[in-house]
Amino acid sequence: MSKIAKRPVPCPSGVEIAVKDSRLKVKGPKGVLERPIPSFLTIEINDGAARVRPVAGVGAKRLSMHMGTVRSHLANMVAGVTNGFQKVLLITGVGYRAQAKGREVQLSLGFSHPVKYKVREGVTVQTPEPTRIVVEGIDKEAVGQVAAELRRLKPPEPYKGKGIRYEKEVIRRKAGKAAGK
């Protein structure tokens, strides 16, 4: 069994964890998340903590491959329904800006046309400033995927740093042609 799988997942008050027909369901104050889990694993809940346990008669290699992953998914689901997740993107460049309109984000990124991005269900996108995009939601994977797709529209370039980057991301800058003389 992996080291990660051995640790219990604390279950705060107001969070319900249930497993039915190989589907893990976590319900909390911010919403409900569901995810399939392998049929040879189950979740035990005792003393305010959940543990991933194997069903008898399964090979050790197959277990160790999945137990740590399922435990991490469970921990992320509990954190999502209690606190939620957030990613912040920054836009750098003259004339580059973003504006959220309902389920859509309109971006001006130096192209000949504005770029429109439709936001998936379960994720909200806000633009408190024209050069700042805040992606929030209860599903860690969905928040990360939306942030990655927005960043992919105009990744930061290494010479001037123009583009969309994560808030704490460091862009390694290159020297231009004039620096070599």
Side-chain angles (χ1 to χ4, degrees):
M1 188 182 333
S2 73
K3 292 178 184 179
I4 294 172
K6 291 179 183 177
R7 295 192 323 220
V9 177
C11 185
S13 61
V15 175
E16 297 173 23
I17 300 172
V19 179
K20 185 178 178 186
D21 299 328
S22 294
R23 293 214 44 97
L24 174 63
K25 185 176 182 179
V26 179
K27 190 176 188 181
K30 288 203 174 235
V32 178
L33 288 174
E34 277 193 55
R35 163 178 232 99
I37 62 170
S39 60
F40 51 85
L41 295 177
T42 187
I43 310 290
E44 283 183 6
I45 301 146
N46 326 341
D47 303 328
R51 292 180 188 272
V52 179
R53 296 285 184 208
V55 175
V58 181
K61 183 174 181 175
R62 197 163 174 210
L63 275 177
S64 64
M65 288 191 316
H66 294 283
M67 286 185 70
T69 303
V70 170
R71 190 256 177 221
S72 294
H73 285 310
L74 175 61
N76 287 337
M77 291 168 76
V78 169
V81 297
T82 54
N83 303 325
F85 293 100
Q86 176 178 342
K87 291 254 186 193
V88 179
L89 298 164
L90 302 175
I91 303 173
T92 307
V94 177
Y96 290 15
R97 62 185 172 277
Q99 184 177 14
K101 295 179 180 177
R103 305 283 322 145
E104 188 175 87
V105 180
Q106 186 169 346
L107 300 119
S108 297
L109 300 172
F111 300 125
S112 61
H113 54 81
V115 178
K116 293 182 180 178
Y117 177 81
K118 286 197 178 275
V119 181
R120 66 171 67 186
E121 287 295 320
V123 178
T124 59
V125 176
Q126 301 168 354
T127 51
E129 302 167 18
T131 59
R132 186 178 177 90
I133 303 170
V134 180
V135 182
E136 295 177 320
I138 62 172
D139 187 1
K140 186 174 187 175
E141 283 184 45
V143 170
Q145 186 65 37
V146 169
E149 288 172 0
L150 284 169
R151 183 185 183 277
R152 195 178 315 140
L153 294 173
K154 188 78 171 187
E157 53 96 14
Y159 295 101
K160 293 184 179 180
K162 292 168 39 172
I164 302 174
R165 64 180 175 90
Y166 295 112
E167 185 175 39
K168 306 224 182 214
E169 182 181 9
V170 176
I171 306 300
R172 292 186 64 182
R173 302 291 282 274
K174 292 183 178 179
K177 286 169 66 175
K181 292 183 180 179

